[in-house]
Amino acid sequence: MSEADIRVLLIEDNPLHARMLQGFLDEIHAPSFPVKHVDNLAAGLDLASREKFDVVLLDLVLPDSKGLDTFVRWRTHAPHVPVVVLTGLDDMGLATRAVESGAQDYLLKSQINAALLSRSLRYAVERVRARSEEWDSPMFRNAHQQFLKAAQVVDLDDNIRQRLLFPQRTQVLSLPFRRDGYDQVETVFGYRVQHVLTMGPTKGGVRFHHSVSLGEVAALAMWMTWKCALMGLPYGGAKGGVRVDPTGLSRREKQRLTRRYTSEIIHVIGPDKDIPAPDLGTGAQEMAWMMDTYSEQVGHTVPEVVTGKPVVLGGSVGRETATGKGVVLMVQEAADHLDLDLDGATAVIQGFGNVGSAAAEFLDQLGTKILAVSDVSGGLYNDNGLPIADLLEHARSGGLVQDYPEGDNISNAELLELECDVLVPAAIENQITAENADRINCKIVAEGANGPTTTEADEILNDRGIFIVPDILANAGGVTVSYFEWVQGTQNYMWTLEEINSRLKRIMTRAFHQVLQRSIDQDLDMRTASLVQGIERVTDAKLIRGLFP
Ligand code: GLU
């Protein structure tokens, strides 16, 4: 089962209706709706006390309960599970009363089809999440914990501390876009968050992912602030996102959604205001659509409004692989510091997307043996080292990692615990936690993803002497080459790949040594040292600019 799947409990006593609904649910994918069916309320309540469901499809007229009472009894026993009520034409009044009493939606049995059902269930889940979890995401908690720890170390001015905890500007959108079936309009949540406006324009990617929330985007924007400050780039942090599973969208749907998202945030972005870039679930194509939409609105072509564009539209050479390149530059510095020869060393990489695949390629070129990689399908392990060039070909032509023949299939969890010299978590957040930190078996963790390690896990890894290159340092290659792209765009002057790579190396290596020195001088772990470095720069800028009015 994938994380995006929505677990449905169907409580319906009419076998014909139950079969029809199950049939519809089986038809739908991305997300899938694994469903359990019972035919009376007592059995439903019993099942819900033992298993977790995301939503319940509830017939109000059941053998052991009738009318609004059915809904009330459900609510009393399982208040957190959203309810979609099933109703016949003659029970409409009842369904409306259930919605007034807190049910998320009702569906007329005679009019249900797969699309309608899918949408109603998804929205029920979304609405409940939107209300309860907007700010309160695990990532935001993680970002706050890290920040507060670093703030304590630098004895940060309390006024500044309060100002930096939450983003300066947030925009929450509800975005409609047409599905390929013309009549079907989807409405999804979108966000653009600008954390600090003090340093220059704000900068940060846009992610399309089913778990995006305001808290998650705010955490990512905050990390962008520290990352840009650490690299000395003239930006504050921003981030954007749309809560949608892009793997379930056609290319045309993605284009309409991207354009609508851009036009909704058009007043807060711009080359001097806020410059989006790719992130999880978006790439050069989405940036081209964003740039085109923005340009159409202002009446002339503005390539500098986004970075990570295709090269033909003013993108920078080297941007696509820059994050992976940066990860490997940082691994090289860390290995040097630890006296580890990367030629012949071993590495494990979680994630084989934009960051993970480029990191694998560059490490492979250094002679490091890549023991395992993974993608959404799971992990692939080969004790002799995976043939990375060929595996990249396989992935580029749409193949899944686990379908590649030369290796054994392992789970993502197993992959993280493999013995190796270098572990690169380059997938999503919250992967190294208090639960598995004891079993992580490497010398260096280089965080290609944002927020892959929780605060509790951080302490365990540090105590065990594992050298961590934290996300805001390890994955800063992306935004650094984005900065180069923006500079080239504003000057209408293009640099060569050699120039890009040598400037990238200079900036990142300098940052690494500043952080390492600070961590030694002040006896700090590498993450706290990186954060302190970034926070100090932002604090200095805030204090010297003063407060308006
Ligand atoms: N999304 C990338 C990051 O998290 C790149 C952001 C950018 O290039 O602006 O750093």
Side-chain angles (χ1 to χ4, degrees):
M1 206 175 76
S2 115
E3 241 183 278
D5 290 349
I6 293 179
R7 292 157 297 191
V8 183
L9 174 58
L10 169 63
I11 310 182
E12 165 63 84
D13 62 328
N14 181 326
L16 268 176
H17 290 162
R19 220 169 307 135
M20 170 187 84
L21 290 161
Q22 270 183 306
F24 287 145
L25 291 171
D26 287 346
E27 262 177 51
I28 313 164
H29 301 288
S32 297
F33 292 91
V35 56
K36 294 254 166 97
H37 170 228
V38 292
D39 59 10
N40 64 74
L41 186 65
L45 288 173
D46 179 49
L47 197 56
S49 68
R50 286 181 284 114
E51 260 183 62
K52 198 165 158 17
F53 291 97
D54 299 301
V55 61
V56 58
L57 259 176
L58 182 67
D59 186 3
L60 292 182
V61 184
L62 294 164
D64 56 342
S65 181
K66 303 249 174 312
L68 204 57
D69 200 35
T70 309
F71 174 72
V72 173
R73 281 173 63 196
W74 171 267
R75 244 302 135 87
T76 316
H77 286 89
H80 302 300
V81 187
V83 179
V84 173
V85 163
L86 293 164
T87 178
L89 250 183
D90 44 341
D91 292 333
M92 277 292 286
L94 195 57
T96 319
R97 287 220 303 283
V99 170
E100 280 163 12
S101 318
Q104 289 299 324
D105 199 2
Y106 64 82
L107 286 168
L108 259 179
K109 289 187 200 177
S110 54
Q111 290 178 0
I112 295 180
N113 57 42
L116 212 70
L117 183 59
S118 155
R119 201 164 66 166
S120 172
L121 293 174
R122 277 185 289 118
Y123 285 15
V125 174
E126 291 285 284
R127 275 198 294 269
V128 171
R129 262 189 214 152
R131 276 210 291 265
S132 67
E133 292 176 12
E134 273 307 0
W135 283 106
D136 188 26
S137 88
M139 239 203 220
F140 200 38
R141 259 174 272 148
N142 189 6
H144 269 185
Q145 278 171 311
Q146 290 178 1
F147 168 67
L148 290 171
K149 183 174 167 189
Q152 211 168 12
V153 170
V154 284
D155 197 15
L156 189 65
D157 177 294
D158 192 52
N159 292 326
I160 300 274
R161 191 166 63 103
Q162 299 303 341
R163 286 171 67 188
L164 291 172
L165 269 170
F166 280 84
Q168 277 186 254
R169 287 187 186 159
T170 61
Q171 227 188 351
V172 181
L173 320 155
S174 103
L175 297 171
F177 71 100
R178 249 180 234 290
R179 300 301 298 251
D180 288 340
Y182 191 79
D183 290 345
Q184 217 190 323
V185 174
E186 289 281 349
T187 307
V188 292
F189 288 104
Y191 311 86
R192 186 72 191 170
V193 170
Q194 297 165 348
H195 177 240
V196 162
L197 295 137
T198 314
M199 315 298 291
T202 50
K203 185 88 192 79
V206 174
R207 58 171 53 187
F208 286 179
H209 193 257
H210 63 80
S211 76
V212 164
S213 65
L214 184 55
E216 180 176 311
V217 179
L220 292 160
M222 194 173 194
W223 283 326
M224 284 307 299
T225 299
W226 315 139
K227 200 186 301 190
C228 292
L230 180 57
M231 293 297 130
L233 309 179
Y235 298 132
K239 204 76 168 197
V242 178
R243 180 147 75 217
V244 74
D245 178 4
T247 58
L249 301 180
S250 71
R251 182 187 153 87
R252 282 180 299 171
E253 290 169 339
K254 233 184 282 178
Q255 173 163 187
R256 285 193 288 270
L257 174 60
T258 308
R259 287 184 182 279
R260 180 67 190 225
Y261 172 70
T262 312
S263 81
E264 295 283 352
I265 59 167
I266 208 139
H267 300 294
V268 297
I269 60 170
D272 302 320
K273 285 189 193 169
D274 180 14
I275 306 131
D279 199 77
L280 201 68
T282 60
Q285 178 60 77
E286 284 73 17
M287 294 309 112
W289 291 327
M290 288 190 82
M291 178 275 225
D292 183 69
T293 308
Y294 183 88
S295 301
E296 289 295 333
Q297 296 294 316
V298 297
H300 58 101
T301 297
V302 188
E304 323 86 76
V305 67
V306 292
T307 59
K309 306 175 282 291
V311 174
V312 68
L313 295 180
S316 177
V317 288
R319 172 62 184 87
E320 192 143 24
T321 52
T323 313
K325 177 107 200 151
V327 169
V328 175
L329 286 171
M330 295 298 89
V331 169
Q332 284 179 286
E333 295 304 318
D336 249 9
H337 170 65
L338 300 177
D339 249 339
L340 169 76
D341 188 357
L342 285 175
D343 190 0
T346 55
V348 165
I349 297 175
Q350 186 196 36
F352 209 54
N354 173 273
V355 183
S357 63
E361 190 173 13
F362 294 123
L363 277 173
D364 185 55
Q365 287 167 7
L366 295 175
T368 306
K369 197 156 83 167
I370 314 293
L371 297 180
V373 301
S374 67
D375 63 10
V376 281
S377 67
L380 185 78
Y381 172 70
N382 187 330
D383 198 26
N384 298 317
L386 292 160
I388 291 302
D390 198 47
L391 189 55
L392 278 168
E393 250 339 286
H394 168 83
R396 274 187 203 119
S397 52
L400 290 169
V401 156
Q402 288 211 331
D403 295 335
Y404 188 76
E406 285 175 52
D408 300 322
N409 288 354
I410 54 171
S411 69
N412 254 304
E414 287 167 328
L415 171 134
L416 288 173
E417 295 171 19
L418 289 171
E419 184 180 348
C420 60
D421 295 311
V422 182
L423 175 64
V424 181
I428 50 170
E429 66 279 0
N430 270 343
Q431 296 301 297
I432 305 178
T433 63
E435 197 280 314
N436 64 0
D438 267 333
R439 300 188 300 277
I440 300 295
N441 205 349
C442 63
K443 299 193 177 87
I444 298 170
V445 172
E447 298 181 337
N450 288 310
T453 310
T454 64
T455 314
E456 299 79 25
D458 233 0
E459 271 174 33
I460 301 173
L461 296 184
N462 284 322
D463 285 348
R464 293 182 53 217
I466 295 175
F467 189 89
I468 304 176
V469 189
D471 46 10
I472 59 168
L473 180 59
N475 69 32
V479 71
T480 305
V481 178
S482 272
Y483 164 65
F484 299 159
E485 180 174 327
W486 179 73
V487 169
Q488 292 171 86
T490 49
Q491 298 181 347
N492 297 306
Y493 181 73
M494 299 317 275
W495 303 347
T496 64
L497 185 59
E498 289 68 39
E499 277 173 292
I500 299 279
N501 282 341
S502 78
R503 285 175 198 263
L504 175 67
K505 185 169 175 180
R506 207 180 323 139
I507 289 184
M508 290 194 76
T509 313
R510 188 191 55 201
F512 179 92
H513 287 286
Q514 281 171 341
V515 170
L516 183 65
Q517 201 52 50
R518 190 185 276 270
S519 89
I520 295 165
D521 292 348
Q522 300 183 8
D523 193 20
L524 299 173
D525 59 83
M526 284 290 280
R527 186 183 316 280
T528 309
S530 307
L531 286 164
V532 165
Q533 185 85 12
I535 291 168
E536 268 190 4
R537 190 177 153 99
V538 176
T539 307
D540 288 351
K542 278 208 181 287
L543 288 173
I544 214 152
R545 272 185 68 158
L547 187 63
F548 174 85

